[in-house]
Amino acid sequence: MAGNQWLRCVLILALAVLGVQGISLDISSEDSVKNAASTAAYGMMKHYKGNESGEIPGKIPNTWWEGGAMFMTLMQYYHYTGDSTYNQEVIQGMQWQSGDCDYMPANWSSYIGNDDQMFWGLAAMTGAELNFPDSSDGYSWLSLAQGVFNTQVARWDNSTCDGGMRWQIYTYESGYTMKNAISNGGLFQLSARLARYTSNQTYYDWAERIWDWSTTTPLLSNSTWNVADSTSTTNDCSTQGDNQWSYNYGAYLGGAAYMYNYTNGTSTKWMNAVDGLLNRTLNTFFPSSHGGEILTEILCEPTEVCNDNEIIFKGLVSAWLAYTALLVPSTYNRILPKLQGSAQGAAATCTGYGNNTCGVRWWNSTWDGWSGLEEQMSVTSVFSSNMIAFNSSSAPLTSSTGGNSTSNPSAGTDDSSDDKTILSTITTGDRAGAGIVTVAFAGGWIGLMAWLMLG
């Protein structure tokens, strides 16, 4: 760890000496925001190998759920910018990992958690709502979201805590005794989005059931609007793990915004939920110590201990805040300045390696030495989310407002782990489109770094 920190310090110092600039961003210019998003997305896809021979489409090393988050980010990027560069990678990866129309692929289904599967379901739902191009020979986006919903509600656990989703699916997994905010908040959001898209009362009823159950537990307070990270079945969900993560708030906030919009703004319950969660989110994760306008993962950024999962959270929240602003118009003027401030902060960090590599701490005003797919994903998302300033009619579609994804209400119900086919690695013939080629450092840069390190 000390060695990595030393190397980051050397790199930061070298870039400061060279006067390297971050991504150029004029937040009032649509073209500038699009260009910034394009630069960040390109940097993200340099890390993705799933479209190369011998690799597995949709799989990111050492993680499975991040693939769903990445493709969701790229769907939103295409929707807001119109750039289809990465669409084939998205389609291929989303279909390759789809299992039996439920995102329970045999390669990973024995160890994934409810939250992991849920993120792929939200990505599929995003494809339906944004009319993302369909696969010519695969499942529809809506049916994939329905498949995840069907398999998840079948796991609703009334045997402990009077309901709720466990974090993990199987008893042998660490965390099986926990019921956590992201598994329940994520399924709440997926249910709300399905309700709005299809106008099917079953989805609405499930969304309300998950929300109401959450408010009876330490996970969600509808008086203080605190969202706790987890609670335990070992004591009937009477205590809480109160780590404050932005995506827990974003999951419930986004779902409440969809419920408010679906009920045409007539429900005081959902308006109060949106206002309460939004207030708490803005007050907590846009700290005044950093100017009050920049999204911050407060639990791990100050001490630079964010892991790859946690680095993604701000990107997810940026997208959900943008949706909230569009679905609940009264929140727009409060949310947009926060997205703009966050984008400007993020752009300033993109000075890494002399090729616009972005960092983690957007309030830092310069690159912090961190780099990776996750950093680029979050920055891509916050840039893309700022496109709502130029098209306030870009709200997610429904089946009655132009959404054309095919429904299959019974999707995923025929799944059986006993007859799954193990997915093979990609071959040259399967490769999607033009691969993204990793850019190497120029010889002069290598020479400079050698001089800095060796004296």
Side-chain angles (χ1 to χ4, degrees):
M1 178 64 72
N4 289 338
Q5 290 177 337
W6 176 84
L7 180 57
R8 286 203 300 271
C9 289
V10 170
L11 290 171
I12 293 167
L13 177 61
L15 292 168
V17 171
L18 291 173
V20 176
Q21 299 298 309
I23 290 177
S24 176
L25 177 64
D26 177 357
I27 202 66
S28 64
S29 165
E30 182 175 1
D31 286 341
S32 180
V33 176
K34 283 184 179 180
N35 289 336
S38 174
T39 300
Y42 176 76
M44 176 177 71
M45 293 303 284
K46 287 193 298 182
H47 295 276
Y48 177 62
K49 307 301 180 185
N51 58 342
E52 298 179 1
S53 297
E55 301 294 338
I56 299 175
K59 181 67 171 66
I60 295 171
N62 304 314
T63 179
W64 182 70
W65 82 272
E66 284 188 20
M70 183 184 77
F71 293 136
M72 181 161 54
T73 299
L74 287 172
M75 287 176 172
Q76 290 156 177
Y77 168 76
Y78 167 67
H79 173 68
Y80 288 124
T81 69
D83 180 6
S84 61
T85 300
Y86 311 109
N87 284 9
Q88 286 306 309
E89 279 88 347
V90 174
I91 293 169
Q92 183 192 47
M94 288 288 291
Q95 294 294 331
W96 203 280
Q97 297 294 334
S98 61
D100 292 330
C101 198
D102 58 2
Y103 288 109
M104 289 291 290
N107 293 54
W108 327 118
S109 61
S110 63
Y111 71 84
I112 66 176
N114 281 309
D115 53 347
D116 301 320
Q117 182 196 22
M118 175 272 299
F119 273 107
W120 286 86
L122 289 179
M125 193 69 234
T126 300
E129 292 173 336
L130 303 185
N131 270 353
F132 192 82
D134 273 311
S135 168
S136 60
D137 58 356
Y139 300 114
S140 73
W141 303 126
L142 179 58
S143 67
L144 284 163
Q146 290 169 314
V148 171
F149 170 85
N150 288 333
T151 55
Q152 292 227 326
V153 296
R155 301 185 197 119
W156 184 259
D157 174 36
N158 287 313
S159 67
T160 59
C161 310
D162 295 320
M165 294 294 293
R166 291 178 182 265
W167 176 22
Q168 302 295 347
I169 298 173
Y170 304 110
T171 57
Y172 55 78
E173 292 178 296
S174 176
Y176 179 76
T177 59
M178 294 172 62
K179 295 189 176 181
N180 63 339
I182 195 58
S183 295
N184 286 279
L187 182 57
F188 163 64
Q189 186 182 129
L190 178 61
S191 303
R193 293 169 73 166
L194 282 167
R196 179 178 176 271
Y197 191 92
T198 66
S199 297
N200 186 312
Q201 185 67 28
T202 297
Y203 298 127
Y204 180 90
D205 291 344
W206 264 105
E208 192 157 48
R209 180 179 185 179
I210 298 163
W211 173 272
D212 289 346
W213 175 83
S214 296
T215 63
T216 68
T217 74
L219 293 179
L220 174 62
S221 169
N222 57 4
S223 57
T224 66
W225 300 107
N226 183 71
V227 180
D229 185 58
S230 61
T231 189
S232 177
T233 62
T234 59
N235 55 26
D236 202 32
C237 297
S238 61
T239 58
Q240 65 194 54
D242 205 28
N243 284 341
Q244 296 290 284
W245 297 112
S246 63
Y247 80 149
N248 288 331
Y249 285 83
Y252 280 109
L253 171 60
Y258 274 89
M259 294 292 271
Y260 171 87
N261 187 272
Y262 178 56
T263 55
N264 298 312
T266 61
S267 171
T268 301
K269 175 180 181 176
W270 300 120
M271 187 71 257
N272 289 342
V274 169
D275 281 341
L277 285 169
L278 181 60
N279 288 339
R280 187 68 182 250
T281 300
L282 298 185
N283 290 337
T284 302
F285 299 102
F286 293 81
S288 58
S289 58
H290 301 317
E293 300 292 331
I294 299 177
L295 183 54
T296 304
E297 205 59 63
I298 59 172
L299 203 59
C300 63
E301 286 186 24
T303 52
E304 295 191 81
V305 294
C306 300
N307 64 32
D308 286 344
N309 293 335
E310 294 152 7
I311 290 169
I312 294 175
F313 294 169
K314 292 190 298 185
L316 297 168
V317 173
S318 296
W320 293 335
L321 283 172
Y323 286 165
T324 299
L326 297 174
L327 295 168
V328 188
S330 63
T331 67
Y332 182 91
N333 289 333
R334 297 182 60 205
I335 290 174
L336 183 60
K338 305 296 186 182
L339 291 175
Q340 291 176 326
S342 297
Q344 290 171 311
T349 75
C350 298
T351 62
Y353 299 119
N355 65 358
N356 294 131
T357 291
C358 303
V360 173
R361 298 182 297 171
W362 298 346
W363 45 269
N364 201 42
S365 300
T366 187
W367 184 50
D368 53 17
W370 290 79
S371 63
L373 181 147
E374 294 80 10
E375 287 85 347
Q376 298 298 133
M377 189 192 307
S378 278
V379 173
T380 300
S381 182
V382 76
F383 288 159
S384 299
S385 297
N386 270 274
M387 290 297 294
I388 66 171
F390 311 106
N391 186 2
S392 59
S393 63
S394 56
L397 299 171
T398 71
S399 61
S400 61
T401 62
N404 56 22
S405 194
T406 304
S407 177
N408 179 6
S410 62
T413 56
D414 294 329
D415 187 16
S416 171
S417 59
D418 295 330
D419 57 11
K420 286 180 181 289
T421 300
I422 300 297
L423 301 177
S424 60
T425 56
I426 190 171
T427 65
T428 302
D430 294 320
R431 185 180 301 173
I436 306 302
V437 180
T438 302
V439 178
F441 293 136
W445 174 251
I446 295 174
L448 173 63
M449 292 310 303
W451 176 77
L452 284 168
M453 293 182 184
L454 300 177

